[in-house]
Amino acid sequence: MKFEKEEDRLNFVIEILNHPELLQEVRVQEWLAEPRNKDLYEECRRYLEGGLRLTVGDQLDVEGEYRNFTRKMKSGGRSRRMTWFSVAAAVVILISASWWLLENSLSSKKQEVIPVAEHIVPGKNQAVLITESGEELVLSASGSESRELGEGIRVEYDSLRGINYNLAKGAVVSYHTLRVPKGAEYKLTLNDGTVVWLNSESELRYPTSFVGEKREVFLKGEGYFSVAHDEKHPFIVVSSDIYTKVYGTEFNVRSYGEEDVHVTLVQGRVAVKKTENGSEYTLNPGENARFAESVPEITKVNVNRYIAWKDGYFYYENESLESIMDDLKRWYDFDVMYVGDKVRDYRFELWASRDSEISVITGLLMKTNRIGVKVNGKTLVVSEVIR
């Protein structure tokens, strides 16, 4: 197997890393037997498992390179998912030189041992499906099943494809709730073809079939929506009294408890408003609406900050440690304790796989020589490094 372009060789490595089962194939094993290919695979694997861009002494224009590479990849007509993986790998490889310099500049300083957290593991594909009558169906991280849940309603589900509904003609419409606990995520395909990815500690209430003039669902937590186009029947997501109205598009809604609600548009157009009778505000692709009050703050953003979780990554740009830890503890299901007045507000630029062991991520953060992390059962104790 040979590739004429380096770009194609890189894409093939990313495909292997995204689908590790390919490593069992003879063609892949033979390709990796070549030292040149093996070296590229190992380099990408290391940085895909955990990449960290630091504000300390890093002068490389990563964002500029990111934009250039994005334009190049999009012009090739590839899918957004492959573009994201390829761009991410390229960006991390581009910064490897500055990362190496930073590591060596810190090598003379005393480093804490990377904490081992045996009881803290990455999340899985699992959820609980609750019917209108209160029946609960536990969707495990493995296996594939099909069940009748109500008159004329058949639900098929497995850990890879998520939930799919097959309704017989004349099926009785009822409401189901998909609840995703801490340390989990799950995918759902609604009866109209809309696909929803639910993040950890999230919940979606929806009808088994849409009837009437609108398609309305109710979200708690975080969900990414790829909405089936239907001009006559707008799709509405209700979350913490925020209404997001679309006809066919892709967007992310984040609404966790006391946090501000964020609606991030990837493609298409959406209208957002506070309360059902509030004023509507239109978003364009690449914009984020933050609701702290009734009028949203709309800004142009790097959407990867808000949607990377759906593709299996954590992605942060100049984000506070507390915000990062809030996301990590939902996915890995741990508690966190801060020691020191300022440590919560330390800001980092982090990019890491959600499949990484927590020790990989904490180890990267500790290499900045700004924080220390200790493990006490299922609690991470985070403290300032006193220089």
Side-chain angles (χ1 to χ4, degrees):
M1 188 187 312
K2 294 186 180 297
F3 297 104
E4 294 181 1
K5 298 179 180 179
E6 284 298 302
E7 181 181 304
D8 294 333
R9 200 164 67 97
L10 175 61
N11 283 340
F12 184 62
V13 169
I14 302 303
E15 186 72 10
I16 296 172
L17 290 167
N18 190 37
H19 300 283
E21 65 272 13
L22 293 175
L23 290 170
Q24 305 301 318
E25 297 185 6
V26 174
R27 65 186 181 99
V28 175
Q29 294 173 3
E30 291 176 348
W31 190 80
L32 289 174
E34 296 185 25
R36 176 168 168 266
N37 297 333
K38 182 69 172 179
D39 289 344
L40 177 61
Y41 171 81
E42 289 298 331
E43 184 176 15
C44 290
R45 182 187 61 80
R46 286 194 300 271
Y47 289 106
L48 280 168
E49 286 180 351
L52 182 63
R53 283 195 283 125
L54 304 170
T55 57
V56 185
D58 187 354
Q59 301 299 319
L60 185 61
D61 182 13
V62 178
E63 191 60 32
E65 295 291 348
Y66 185 96
R67 288 193 297 268
N68 291 338
F69 199 89
T70 301
R71 284 194 293 269
K72 178 180 177 182
M73 293 300 292
K74 284 186 177 178
S75 67
R78 291 173 174 78
S79 68
R80 180 169 56 260
R81 182 176 179 87
M82 181 53 72
T83 297
W84 160 240
F85 283 127
S86 302
V87 169
V91 170
V92 176
I93 292 170
L94 280 169
I95 67 171
S96 61
S98 57
W99 169 246
W100 179 86
L101 288 172
L102 182 58
E103 279 196 303
N104 281 272
S105 70
L106 296 175
S107 61
S108 60
K109 300 178 182 180
K110 182 179 179 181
Q111 297 290 318
E112 291 194 43
V113 177
I114 295 176
V116 177
E118 296 179 354
H119 304 295
I120 301 175
V121 297
K124 303 175 181 178
N125 290 320
Q126 59 185 28
V128 177
L129 180 62
I130 306 169
T131 68
E132 193 168 308
S133 64
E135 180 184 357
E136 295 190 3
L137 178 63
V138 177
L139 312 177
S140 64
S142 61
S144 176
E145 290 190 46
S146 177
R147 288 275 299 273
E148 290 280 351
L149 292 177
E151 186 178 339
I153 301 173
R154 175 165 289 278
V155 178
E156 299 174 350
Y157 57 94
D158 63 41
S159 59
L160 294 177
R161 296 188 304 114
I163 300 175
N164 286 272
Y165 281 83
N166 288 318
L167 273 67
K169 186 175 181 180
V172 177
V173 177
S174 62
Y175 271 84
H176 285 182
T177 299
L178 185 64
R179 183 174 296 159
V180 180
K182 282 186 176 181
E185 62 184 5
Y186 217 80
K187 184 173 77 170
L188 162 70
T189 301
L190 299 173
N191 182 248
D192 68 334
T194 292
V195 183
V196 185
W197 288 260
L198 287 179
N199 205 349
S200 303
E201 208 172 10
S202 299
E203 181 179 302
L204 187 74
R205 183 172 179 265
Y206 54 93
T208 54
S209 180
F210 292 107
V211 294
E213 297 179 352
K214 61 184 179 181
R215 298 171 289 166
E216 190 171 62
V217 299
F218 303 86
L219 173 71
K220 294 179 181 178
E222 185 167 23
Y224 184 95
F225 296 81
S226 180
V227 177
H229 184 74
D230 186 344
E231 289 187 0
K232 296 182 179 180
H233 302 90
F235 192 95
I236 299 173
V237 179
V238 183
S239 185
S240 299
D241 290 328
I242 304 301
Y243 287 70
T244 303
K245 180 179 179 181
V246 305
Y247 293 91
T249 188
E250 295 195 18
F251 62 99
N252 193 79
V253 178
R254 180 182 174 98
S255 177
Y256 280 116
E258 299 301 319
E259 294 183 14
D260 294 338
V261 177
H262 288 262
V263 179
T264 310
L265 181 60
V266 178
Q267 67 177 22
R269 293 184 70 187
V270 302
V272 294
K273 60 183 179 180
K274 177 76 171 178
T275 73
E276 188 171 10
N277 298 317
S279 300
E280 287 192 350
Y281 301 86
T282 301
L283 296 184
N284 294 310
E287 289 184 338
N288 178 77
R290 181 176 71 89
F291 280 89
E293 304 292 341
S294 58
V295 177
E297 176 188 352
I298 299 176
T299 55
K300 194 75 174 177
V301 296
N302 181 345
V303 297
N304 290 318
R305 165 62 185 93
Y306 299 92
I307 71 169
W309 68 269
K310 191 264 293 186
D311 286 330
Y313 292 91
F314 297 107
Y315 186 100
Y316 304 101
E317 293 181 328
N318 194 30
E319 196 76 33
S320 72
L321 180 63
E322 185 172 28
S323 293
I324 294 173
M325 283 294 173
D326 283 346
D327 284 346
L328 293 178
K329 69 183 184 182
R330 285 192 186 100
W331 181 238
Y332 291 92
D333 191 12
F334 62 81
D335 295 317
V336 61
M337 178 184 298
Y338 297 98
V339 179
D341 297 332
K342 301 178 181 178
V343 67
R344 295 171 183 262
D345 298 323
Y346 284 174
R347 307 190 82 81
F348 297 90
E349 297 191 1
L350 171 67
W351 182 80
S353 168
R354 280 161 68 96
D355 289 333
S356 299
E357 296 297 328
I358 188 63
S359 58
V360 171
I361 299 177
T362 55
L364 288 167
L365 291 170
M366 289 169 62
K367 284 187 177 184
T368 64
N369 208 37
R370 301 175 70 197
I371 67 168
V373 181
K374 294 183 179 179
V375 179
N376 183 7
K378 292 199 70 172
T379 300
L380 296 188
V381 181
V382 183
S383 59
E384 303 175 46
V385 171
I386 307 300
R387 295 191 171 108

